[in-house]
Amino acid sequence: MSAVAQRILIVEDEAPILTGLETLFRHHGYEVVTARDGREALERWTAGTFDLVVLDVMLPVLGGFEVLSQMRGSGDATPVLILTARGAETDVVEGLERGADDYVTKPFGVHELAARVKGLLRRIPRSAEAPARLRVGPVDLDLDGLTAGAGDLRVELTAREGALVEFLLVRRHRAVGRDELLVGVWGYRDGRIETRTVDVHVQKLRRKLASLPGGDGWIATVRGRGYRFAAEVV
Ligand code: CA
């Protein structure tokens, strides 16, 4: 265990689940702060510094999506794992669109949740193989500043999107599978994790990049294999 414990904010209104999560993460050596509704979550979040937020979507007073939007709207890039209800597919997509890094569907297994939390807390280092600034066709890509632009057009990338672009770009001679992306970009080590996170993130990223010249061709789908960085890098 590191000298300074990593801090997790858990936002959950169902007492048994909150208690269970609190116990689980304390057991794993994390420092845990809890909130029981959306307003309390924002108060805690504003007052402290966190390495990760576990955020239930269905919350009283202020919903989880609103909390997430306010966090991301302020420019905060803290990893967020949302808890969604079974069968609420649209919640998964909306949560990831609003900037969540991943989701877990209730009811969830504690081992799976712990594996994801551990992964999201792992800092993915910048690759030594990719320079911080490079040109993709006519677009200037800044992997440190997390922006891509050409002329007056500019898009901002989230930390996870930047890592995703970089991971594919470094391996652009081949297709990269979803499993490999979950390990390399999300930090997951447990190969049993199944999630649509990669696909939803890629879709969102493609829509952003499509506003840039040639941007719609950056990430190609390789049927049965995964994704490949398909644009010319200068
Ligand atoms: Ca709830």
Side-chain angles (χ1 to χ4, degrees):
M1 199 189 303
S2 58
V4 179
Q6 290 177 298
R7 300 186 84 217
I8 302 180
L9 174 61
I10 302 172
V11 189
E12 171 60 74
D13 58 311
E14 291 169 70
I17 299 179
L18 181 63
T19 307
L21 291 176
E22 197 177 358
T23 306
L24 173 73
F25 292 128
R26 290 233 163 92
H27 174 74
H28 280 268
Y30 301 116
E31 189 181 330
V32 177
V33 174
T34 62
R36 288 167 184 77
D37 64 55
R39 189 182 297 155
E40 199 175 59
L42 286 175
E43 285 170 9
R44 300 274 188 276
W45 174 73
T46 306
T49 308
F50 298 94
D51 297 293
L52 180 84
V53 180
V54 176
L55 178 65
D56 186 29
V57 166
M58 296 291 286
L59 291 170
V61 186
L62 194 65
F65 289 147
E66 185 55 35
V67 172
L68 182 57
S69 293
Q70 290 202 29
M71 286 177 176
R72 291 296 186 244
S74 73
D76 189 276
T78 305
V80 174
L81 178 74
I82 54 169
L83 305 178
T84 59
R86 188 203 288 271
E89 274 292 290
T90 53
D91 281 0
V92 169
V93 175
E94 182 170 0
L96 297 176
E97 291 283 347
R98 287 178 184 244
D101 294 88
D102 200 4
Y103 67 95
V104 168
T105 303
K106 291 178 174 179
F108 48 79
V110 292
H111 294 297
E112 187 191 359
L113 186 69
R116 292 196 194 213
V117 163
K118 197 175 166 194
L120 292 176
L121 282 166
R122 190 175 288 135
R123 296 212 190 287
I124 307 295
R126 284 278 333 279
S127 168
E129 294 169 67
R133 289 164 179 270
L134 61 173
R135 278 179 76 90
V136 182
V139 176
D140 288 310
L141 172 64
D142 180 347
L143 290 170
D144 277 340
L146 295 172
T147 60
D152 295 337
L153 301 168
R154 182 156 303 274
V155 297
E156 293 188 13
L157 305 176
T158 66
R160 196 74 54 190
E161 287 167 349
L164 182 57
V165 167
E166 180 177 341
F167 197 85
L168 291 171
L169 196 148
V170 167
R171 292 157 185 80
R172 59 187 177 278
H173 56 284
R174 64 174 175 87
V176 180
R178 291 169 178 80
D179 292 358
E180 192 179 349
L181 288 167
L182 285 174
V183 172
V185 179
W186 275 262
Y188 295 165
R189 289 285 184 271
D190 189 336
R192 291 169 302 175
I193 287 176
E194 283 189 27
T195 175
R196 291 180 47 226
T197 289
V198 170
D199 296 329
V200 178
H201 271 84
V202 168
Q203 284 163 23
K204 182 183 172 195
L205 180 56
R206 276 180 175 152
R207 279 203 305 278
K208 272 191 189 180
L209 295 173
S211 64
L212 300 172
D216 54 352
W218 282 28
I219 302 174
T221 300
V222 183
R223 194 175 286 273
R225 302 281 301 282
Y227 297 103
R228 190 172 71 82
F229 196 89
E232 189 183 351
V233 179
V234 184

